[in-house]
Structures are given as C-alpha cells and as structure tokens.
Amino acid sequence: MTILAALLLVAAPVAATECATPASLAEPWTSWTQSGQARAGAQAHGAPTLILGKPVVATLTPAAHVQFATPPGNGAKEGHGGLFTLSLKQAARVGIALDGPAWVDVVTGTTTVASTEHGHGPACSGVRKIVWFDLPAGRHLVQIAGSKPATVRVMAADAKANQPVG
C-alpha cells in the first residue's frame, strides 16, 4: 500500500499551491492568457478561423457528431471535438497549443499533415501540450478530438513570430 501511495504522489499533477504564480511565457505564446470565445465547427464548411497568436476558449461538440475531414488520431469517437480553419500567407512552422488532453491534427486538402514535434508548455503556464507542424501557405483545417471536457483553450502560433531577425 505504501508503494501505491508513493506512485500516486509521483504521478500526481502539480499541486495548485505550487502554481500560485503563473509562469511567464516567451514568444510566440505571450498572449496565451488572453482569450476570445468560439464554438468549434462540427463540419469544415463554416468552421471558425484560428488567427495566429490569438487564443480562444472553444466550445466543442460530442466527437461522434463532428464530420472530420480525415479520421483523427487516438480517441476520435470519445469525448468532444471540433474544427477550425487556419490560413497562412506563407509557409511556416506552426504550433497548436491546448490547455487540456486532446488529439490535434492539421489537414491540408485531403491529407493529414505529419507533426514535426510535440511538447509541453512550461509548468504552471496552462499550456498542456504544443504540437508543431510545417505548413505550406494556404488554408488548413485544425481538428481537435478526444477531449473529455466540452471546452478547450486553443492557440495557433508561428514559431518565428516576433523573433529577432538574424
């Protein structure tokens, strides 16, 4: 029983008291704590647009009712999901950040774009995960699936946003 208790302590998330002060976020995530509201689309046509650097708290739909452009990864029919569009004037490395556990894919045309990197935000930042994609210029569809909560904070950011030139 002592071993189980020790394992639970090790696996436990960071306690709220340890996050009394939110972590500062570097570019391109400095606007993470700002947010608008959006209802994620249940189909590609009419899905709201993500704007680089502008986070939103998105209301999701039960995933079984979302018409994904391509089958999403893990847990697609479980929990909640939704769709957003993302338009780029030029090719960019784009990170999609979420504040909770969910699967995120980017679809260009009819093809799911392979992610290039996965990571977490800083402790106490509210950023649970960041998935990076190398995207060409044009219109893309961001698919979120498998979220247990019916809302998720989501933000798309260009890796080079506000970075020094040189």
Side-chain angles (χ1 to χ4, degrees):
M1 190 65 144
T2 305
I3 293 172
L4 178 59
L7 287 173
L8 288 173
L9 285 174
V10 170
V14 176
T17 55
E18 292 180 42
C19 291
T21 304
S24 295
L25 291 166
E27 290 294 345
W29 307 107
T30 55
S31 62
W32 172 254
T33 58
Q34 303 168 7
S35 63
Q37 302 281 325
R39 175 170 286 283
Q43 56 187 5
H45 179 73
T49 301
L50 285 178
I51 298 170
L52 291 173
K54 304 289 183 191
V56 296
V57 175
T59 301
L60 305 173
T61 299
H65 300 288
V66 177
Q67 296 175 9
F68 295 105
T70 62
N74 299 339
K77 296 296 178 187
E78 312 260 332
H80 299 85
L83 306 171
F84 289 91
T85 61
L86 175 65
S87 294
L88 300 175
K89 291 181 182 178
Q90 59 188 19
R93 175 163 282 194
V94 174
I96 307 292
L98 301 175
D99 72 348
W103 189 265
V104 62
D105 288 310
V106 174
V107 179
T108 301
T110 58
T111 305
T112 302
V113 178
S115 61
T116 58
E117 188 178 343
H118 302 83
H120 298 280
C124 301
S125 69
V127 177
R128 177 173 174 113
K129 74 186 296 181
I130 303 170
V131 182
W132 293 94
F133 301 89
D134 288 333
L135 300 176
R139 188 169 187 255
H140 309 279
L141 189 66
V142 177
Q143 300 187 152
I144 298 171
S147 173
K148 289 187 182 185
T151 61
V152 66
R153 180 183 301 265
V154 59
M155 180 176 164
D158 182 336
K160 293 186 180 180
N162 300 318
Q163 298 295 319
V165 177

